[in-house]
């Protein structure tokens, strides 16, 4: 196990770029009326939240690779944080969510302002939805501006511009597939579910930031390919952890509705494992119901926690992390880059540890555990033992001074990893 604690909050250089941009555009918006000023105020709030690990990855990997253009790295890091903010605003709109990081999200803030100004329910909702579309566009547009302003050789600037376009293209493809899968428009296999997770969250949260750092540092092709592989694996493990945290952690931890993914019928790896188990008969008629109530959702979570599905997802994510550590052990990326990437893996592992505890609590919430001699009891015992192991591991890390990450999204590594941002900073976050 890696005991390095991944730093929380924005890297100071990235934070300074973001704050400067938001202040500059707030001043400009003031000359365009109350609605525009309010929109930028809400967007500033959206950008300020979360763990900001994407920008930190750019800064630290670039520095670790020997890159010397630190102002450009800060702007690139800020570009990925703006992409993340824009994706989250759009994601909340797609999923009909009104809460992000435990407070009303951008659309909800704009809705409240419209009601306060005298708008009726339908006009206020239209104003809120339009505001979310436009604010997300603004954030993504600002990311383009930052990348375009990077000063350097034409080849590097061209590669960064192409990477930004690839990031948006791939993320949109993943988000669209996620929505389609939730409505059952096409059959989704485990492989397809992992592909969706890789596209809608993993690429922009890990793979693209480390690739951007390598491009800016003009790292050799071999290092770039290795970082691509590691970034992809980190993103997949992050999304698997986020799926568990998003469903089983309390709302005060995730900062968003615990009903969202169940109502949307998300075809996550967790649900695909559940489809192969007896528990599916208790879930299938309720998953994807727009009118799903809290009591039914709690019953679904309890049944799911008592099945073997969460254990399989946890195992899947941890196997990815084991392979990543083996790859890093034999990689020639240098101690600084290795330390950063191991720290990111540790952040995800801590999220898995926390998820195991939430799963065990949920499994026993009804007060009656299945008999240990039954197959279900054996599965439940595995969940419980996993949670105890996680607690022991957390205690050990705490004694060594490491910091626990609530993991993964960013529900912002989402379009969530936040809060566990990257539990729900992911877009799933």
């Amino acid at each position: 196990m890696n005991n390095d604690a991944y730093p929380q909050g924005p890297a100071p250089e990235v934070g300074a770029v973001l704050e400067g941009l938001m202040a500059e555009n707030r001043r400009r918006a003031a000359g365009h009326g109350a609605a525009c000023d309010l929109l930028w105020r809400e967007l500033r709030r959206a950008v300020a939240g979360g763990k900001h690990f994407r920008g930190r990855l750019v800064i630290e990997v670039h520095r670790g690779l020997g890159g010397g253009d630190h102002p450009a790295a800060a702007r690139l890091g800020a570009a990925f944080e703006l992409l993340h903010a824009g994706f989250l605003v759009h994601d909340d709109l797609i999923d009909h969510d009104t809460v992000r990081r435990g407070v009303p999200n951008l659309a909800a803030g704009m809705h409240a302002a419209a009601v306060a100004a005298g708008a009726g329910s339908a006009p206020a909702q239209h104003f809120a939805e339009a505001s979310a579309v436009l604010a997300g566009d603004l954030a993504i547009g600002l990311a383009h501006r930052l990348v375009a302003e990077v000063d350097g050789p034409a080849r590097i600037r061209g590669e960064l511009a192409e990477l930004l376009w690839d990031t948006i293209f791939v993320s949109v493809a993943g988000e669209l597939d996620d929505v389609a899968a939730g409505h059952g428009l096409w059959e989704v296999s485990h492989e397809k579910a992992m592909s969706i997770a890789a596209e809608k969250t993993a690429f922009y949260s890990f793979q693209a930031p480390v690739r951007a750092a390598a491009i800016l540092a003009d790292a050799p092709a071999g290092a770039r390919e290795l970082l691509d592989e590691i970034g992809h694996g980190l993103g997949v493990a992050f999304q698997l952890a986020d799926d568990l945290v998003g469903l089983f952690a309390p709302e005060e931890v995730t900062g968003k509705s615990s009903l969202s993914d169940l109502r949307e019928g998300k075809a996550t790896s967790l649900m695909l494992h559940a489809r192969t188990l007896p528990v599916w008969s208790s879930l299938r008629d309720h998953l994807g119901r727009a009118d799903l109530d809290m009591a039914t959702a709690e019953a679904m979570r309890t049944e799911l926690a008592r099945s073997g599905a969460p254990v399989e997802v946890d195992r899947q994510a941890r196997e990815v992390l084991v392979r990543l550590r083996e790859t890093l052990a034999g990689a020639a990326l240098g101690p600084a880059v290795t330390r950063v990437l191991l720290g990111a893996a540790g952040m995800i592992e801590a999220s898995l540890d926390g998820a195991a505890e939430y799963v065990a609590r949920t499994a026993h919430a009804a007060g009656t555990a299945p008999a240990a001699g039954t197959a279900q009891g054996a599965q439940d015992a595995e969940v419980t033992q996993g949670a105890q192991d996680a607690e022991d591991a957390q205690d050990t890390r705490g004694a060594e001074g490491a910091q626990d990450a609530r993991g993964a999204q960013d529900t912002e590594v989402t379009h969530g990893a936040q809060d566990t941002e990257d539990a729900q900073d992911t877009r799933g976050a």
Side-chain angles (χ1 to χ4, degrees):
M1 173 176 296
N2 172 59
N3 291 321
D4 290 337
Y6 198 75
Q8 305 297 299
E13 309 96 309
V14 174
V17 172
L18 291 171
E19 182 57 32
L21 279 173
M22 292 297 108
E24 170 196 333
N25 285 286
R26 276 293 308 279
R27 290 191 295 269
R28 185 177 180 183
H32 291 267
C36 188
D37 181 64
L38 176 62
L39 185 69
W40 277 98
R41 186 179 71 192
E42 287 291 328
L43 182 57
R44 184 179 188 176
R45 183 168 65 89
V47 169
K51 291 183 177 179
H52 288 248
F53 68 80
R54 295 162 184 85
R56 187 177 287 277
L57 275 174
V58 175
I59 289 281
E60 295 186 352
V61 172
H62 171 262
R63 183 182 294 125
L65 290 170
D69 194 346
H70 302 306
R75 297 182 79 78
L76 272 182
F80 280 100
E81 294 301 340
L82 286 164
L83 268 188
H84 175 59
F87 286 163
L88 285 188
V89 171
H90 284 166
D91 193 57
D92 283 351
L93 180 63
I94 291 168
D95 291 345
H96 310 291
D97 285 335
T98 58
V99 175
R100 172 67 64 178
R101 301 169 186 140
V103 296
N105 62 15
L106 183 143
M110 299 301 286
H111 185 280
V115 170
S121 177
Q125 185 63 26
H126 181 221
F127 179 71
E129 292 171 354
S131 297
V133 171
L134 297 169
D137 289 350
L138 284 171
I140 295 168
L142 264 182
H144 276 281
R145 173 185 157 186
L146 287 178
V147 172
E149 290 175 347
V150 169
D151 189 19
R155 173 179 56 82
I156 287 179
R157 295 179 64 187
E159 289 181 24
L160 289 172
E162 186 65 24
L163 174 60
L164 179 62
W165 169 241
D166 285 347
T167 303
I168 295 170
F169 186 97
V170 168
S171 299
V172 167
E175 184 69 19
L176 187 62
D177 269 345
D178 188 48
V179 174
H183 289 296
L185 301 184
W186 291 277
E187 188 62 29
V188 179
S189 63
H190 278 286
E191 292 74 18
K192 182 60 176 176
M194 295 307 296
S195 173
I196 291 172
E199 290 184 340
K200 77 170 219 166
T201 302
F203 192 86
Y204 91 87
S205 292
F206 289 93
Q207 195 170 350
V210 296
R211 185 188 296 179
I215 291 171
L216 186 63
D218 205 12
R224 295 190 193 192
E225 291 171 5
L226 187 56
L227 286 168
D228 255 9
E229 176 188 344
I230 293 169
H232 174 81
L234 285 170
V236 169
F238 174 84
Q239 184 60 55
L240 290 169
D242 190 53
D243 288 344
L244 292 172
V245 173
L247 190 62
F248 295 108
E251 290 187 0
E252 58 267 25
V253 172
T254 65
K256 62 180 293 185
S257 170
S258 59
L259 291 173
S260 178
D261 283 359
L262 294 175
R263 283 178 172 171
E264 294 298 319
K266 299 286 186 182
T268 63
S269 182
L270 177 66
M271 287 303 173
L272 291 175
H273 280 298
R275 289 182 186 182
T276 68
L277 301 172
V279 71
W280 186 243
S281 62
S282 303
L283 304 177
R284 61 187 173 198
D285 292 338
H286 302 293
L287 189 66
R289 276 179 43 200
D291 63 345
L292 184 68
D293 60 89
M294 185 61 76
T296 304
E298 288 296 338
M300 292 173 69
R301 271 192 290 269
T302 300
E303 291 292 328
L304 191 57
R306 290 161 65 86
S307 78
V311 173
E312 289 303 314
V313 175
D314 180 272
R315 180 180 294 121
Q316 190 176 5
R318 291 182 192 273
E319 286 175 354
V320 172
L321 294 177
V322 167
R323 290 195 297 271
L324 283 176
R325 290 193 172 108
E326 291 173 350
T327 299
L328 281 168
L333 292 172
V337 174
T338 299
R339 183 169 57 252
V340 171
L341 297 175
L342 285 174
M347 176 186 74
I348 297 165
E349 191 170 46
S351 182
L352 288 168
D353 292 344
E357 181 179 350
Y358 295 130
V359 169
R361 290 178 186 175
T362 304
H364 295 282
T368 55
T374 66
Q376 183 64 56
Q379 291 170 340
D380 197 49
E382 187 173 3
V383 171
T384 305
Q385 184 59 50
Q388 184 59 55
D389 292 344
E391 290 177 3
D392 293 344
Q394 288 170 332
D395 291 343
T396 301
R397 281 200 314 278
E400 293 171 351
Q403 181 178 351
D404 183 27
R406 290 190 306 183
Q409 232 139 252
D410 168 208
T411 201
E412 38 311 57
V413 145
T414 0
H415 279 353
Q418 244 191 43
D419 243 286
T420 61
E421 226 195 311
D422 310 329
Q424 306 279 339
D425 249 1
T426 122
R427 300 181 56 205

